[in-house]
Amino acid sequence: MRDPEVKSIPQSHVEEVGIHRQHSHHGTLLAVAALILNVAIVAFLIAIVFVDISLTTIGSLSPTARALYVTGTTVLASLCTYATTSQIRMLWLRRVDAQLYNGKSYEKVDPFWRTVLDVSSISETLRYWNVSLTFLVCGLTTTAVVAGLASSPSSYRIVQKYSLADPDDYQCATTESSNPDQAGIWTVAKGSFYQIWVNIDFCPTSLIMSLMGSINIVDPANYGYADLGVAIHSSALGAPASIYSSQAIDDSSGVSLWLNQTLDTYKTDLLSTSQCVPVLTANPIRCTRENNITFSSDGYLTITSSDGCTATTYPGLIALNTTQSGYSASGICSRGDIGSATIVIGGFLVDADYAAEAIGDITWIHEWDAGTVPVPKMYGISCMVDTASVIDTRNVTLTLLDDSGNTGSFARSLSAQDPQSCTAIPSSGGLNPITNKLLATAAMGPWQLLYLGALETLRSVLINSAPPPVNNDHTLNIRQPPFAFNNSRNALEDILGLSSALAMSRLTLTGHTGYADYIGTAMVANTRVGTGERWALVYILPPLISSIVLLVLLMTTPRQTPFTASRLTDLVAIWNHRMNG
């Protein structure tokens, strides 16, 4: 049918054709409400990126709670999207109203009207792409809100106490009025001596041999040793075991294991703990060849350092008649200030080669292989120990679930990320965590290894465990870097340094030392609204664009028309008017 004559509807005839003036005040308020709603959605999506809104106090949502949460946010987002889409459509229809009221032909208005009602053809949709795009973007609001409000794993920090040894004497470290002339004695004043009881069964220095099996010689740069199921990184060597032990304590320790209490409360939702503790920041032991080694006419092997530390063993003269046996003498002597000591190790016959391999003396090993080493074949080593210069505080973190696999084998790891000193915060008082008994215990850490014969007991970790050397080249037995300590120059230094670290670690776990409590922190897993990541700000785009569309349409669309194209009765009335016009 031919389009009736195009003419506008005179204002005076509106009532005559049965069209009731539609005041748009109510519709405008709804559009403004939709605008405010979308602005609020944008503001909330921004807020949850920077503000942690928790859904749980501990752990993740249960499957039922998660399903209900997703359902709730989806329904809410769908309602918001429906309300916004309805108001955008009503504002677009006002433009149709204006076109019809001004007498524009039905054929010209129809494609635009059909696009607004979302019943258009593909060509009409492409023609009025700006209208279609507003509905598409608005429809994405549901996706944006559901994704932006999705539950995500999070964590928060709590106070976590921990214990460190106090400075007071205890049964493994005492101040004496006489010098019993044994290892672990330092003169602190005239007639006063500080003593570490190295050989008492429950003291830290008597436990080292049992702990040496946990050191890592495969990739020590990854972790230096494993202790109580925790991989100890090279940055945290010597950290007190009381901060990472979750084992029940026995009568030999009076230290409170605060970690146990926190684990009882938060269980697997405890992610990590952080505390400022003393560690070995570098290897306190430096070893070099010592030429003052002798084999006496009556069969004694003696090695003496430049400061007079001596160790002796008795191979006997019969040892000269063998080429396969090995003998060694080793010992440790305290010297100077507390924490300083001297180690001497002497190897005889085969053990002389092991000693040279332990410190990587390639020149001497070549002479051994060439058969030019003077008889009797001996090799001496002296080491300087200085724990006071390398023990410092570091903020260490115990990761209770190392899901990144940094250690390769252990779920728990201990490391220090910041190489700077930290200040331990006592729960009361102001104690210095670096005490004399800590310095002295670390210095005497190698005692048991030396007492039992270091070259024999530690051979498997001092030299490469490999098939017989190719072409009799014993330099292939030398363990090469990396080592647990960055400043270790050879395997012997590294192993002895680790023994010092292990002795330090046991100070608060054995021997019933006095202790003081300090304040640290722990991270607990929970569930939050949104990811909290900056990239999540992309979710504000759909509601933000919808807000802009609503604002532009409110400002540019007539707020009052005598009829509306959304009502069939009005459209019939307009048609009748034009047909009868």
Side-chain angles (χ1 to χ4, degrees), residues 360-380:
D361 191 338
I362 295 176
T363 301
W364 193 93
I365 296 172
H366 282 320
E367 293 176 359
W368 170 275
D369 289 340
T372 58
V373 174
V375 177
K377 298 179 178 181
M378 299 177 294
Y379 194 91

Side-chain angles (χ1 to χ4, degrees), residues 20 28 30 98 212 257 267 302 348 387 395 405 441 531 546 571:
H20 301 286
T28 300
L30 290 177
M212 292 304 291
L257 299 184
K267 298 180 173 58
T302 302
F348 185 64
T387 59
N395 193 54
T441 299
T531 64
S546 296
L571 293 175

Side-chain angles (χ1 to χ4, degrees), residues 114-428:
R114 286 166 53 81
T115 303
V116 172
L117 294 179
D118 199 21
V119 293
S120 59
S121 64
I122 294 178
S123 60
E124 290 169 340
T125 299
L126 295 175
R127 179 180 178 185
Y128 296 103
W129 62 268
N130 57 327
V131 176
S132 303
L133 186 61
T134 60
F135 295 131
L136 175 62
V137 173
C138 183
L140 291 174
T141 299
T142 298
T143 302
V145 172
V146 172
L149 300 185
S151 61
S152 301
S154 184
S155 60
Y156 60 95
R157 196 177 301 275
I158 62 171
V159 172
Q160 161 76 12
K161 286 186 177 181
Y162 62 100
S163 299
L164 298 177
D166 64 17
D168 299 334
D169 288 1
Y170 76 121
Q171 52 195 339
C172 297
T174 59
T175 301
E176 303 292 333
S177 59
S178 61
N179 186 349
D181 192 23
Q182 66 177 45
I185 297 291
W186 287 270
T187 302
V188 292
K190 185 176 181 180
S192 180
F193 305 92
Y194 193 77
Q195 178 173 1
I196 293 294
W197 295 89
V198 293
N199 59 345
I200 296 180
D201 288 344
F202 49 77
C203 291
T205 50
S206 68
L207 305 174
I208 303 307
M209 183 57 71
S210 63
L211 300 173
M212 292 304 291
S214 65
I215 65 173
N216 180 12
I217 64 171
V218 178
D219 57 343
N222 188 357
Y223 65 94
Y225 56 84
D227 188 21
L228 301 172
V230 179
I232 312 299
H233 190 265
S234 59
S235 59
L237 298 176
S242 56
I243 68 170
Y244 56 80
S245 173
S246 57
Q247 297 181 354
I249 59 176
D250 55 32
D251 292 338
S252 67
S253 175
V255 176
S256 297
L257 299 184
W258 293 101
L259 179 61
N260 278 346
Q261 299 180 30
T262 310
L263 282 171
D264 287 343
T265 301
Y266 298 100
K267 298 180 173 58
T268 58
D269 294 313
L270 181 64
L271 300 177
S272 65
T273 65
S274 295
Q275 42 273 309
C276 179
V277 299
V279 299
L280 281 175
T281 61
N283 194 335
I285 300 175
R286 310 296 281 178
C287 298
T288 58
R289 181 178 179 182
E290 176 58 64
N291 292 318
N292 191 6
I293 181 171
T294 60
F295 186 75
S296 67
S297 59
D298 52 354
Y300 284 92
L301 177 71
T302 302
I303 179 169
T304 304
S305 66
S306 58
D307 60 359
C309 185
T310 298
T312 300
T313 190
Y314 180 71
L317 296 177
I318 193 173
L320 297 175
N321 298 323
T322 179
T323 58
Q324 300 299 321
S325 298
Y327 304 88
S328 65
S330 54
I332 184 170
C333 310
S334 52
R335 61 178 176 84
D337 297 329
I338 295 176
S340 297
T342 301
I343 294 172
V344 288
I345 301 173
F348 185 64
L349 300 180
V350 175
D351 279 5
D353 182 41
Y354 294 149
E357 292 170 1
I359 67 169
D361 191 338
I362 295 176
T363 301
W364 193 93
I365 296 172
H366 282 320
E367 293 176 359
W368 170 275
D369 289 340
T372 58
V373 174
V375 177
K377 298 179 178 181
M378 299 177 294
Y379 194 91
I381 300 171
S382 64
C383 307
M384 298 293 106
V385 183
D386 182 9
T387 59
S389 63
V390 296
I391 293 181
D392 198 2
T393 53
R394 292 291 185 270
N395 193 54
V396 299
T397 298
L398 171 64
T399 302
L400 294 166
L401 184 58
D402 189 2
D403 54 1
S404 61
N406 290 330
T407 63
S409 302
F410 295 89
R412 297 183 178 184
S413 62
L414 186 73
S415 62
Q417 303 299 325
D418 189 351
Q420 302 300 316
S421 299
C422 58
T423 300
I425 303 174
S427 58
S428 61

Side-chain angles (χ1 to χ4, degrees), residues 91-111:
L91 290 173
W92 279 122
L93 284 173
R94 286 190 191 179
R95 295 198 175 190
V96 175
D97 299 343
Q99 293 176 19
L100 291 174
Y101 182 69
N102 292 328
K104 194 171 184 177
S105 69
Y106 298 148
E107 289 181 348
K108 292 183 178 179
V109 175
D110 183 63

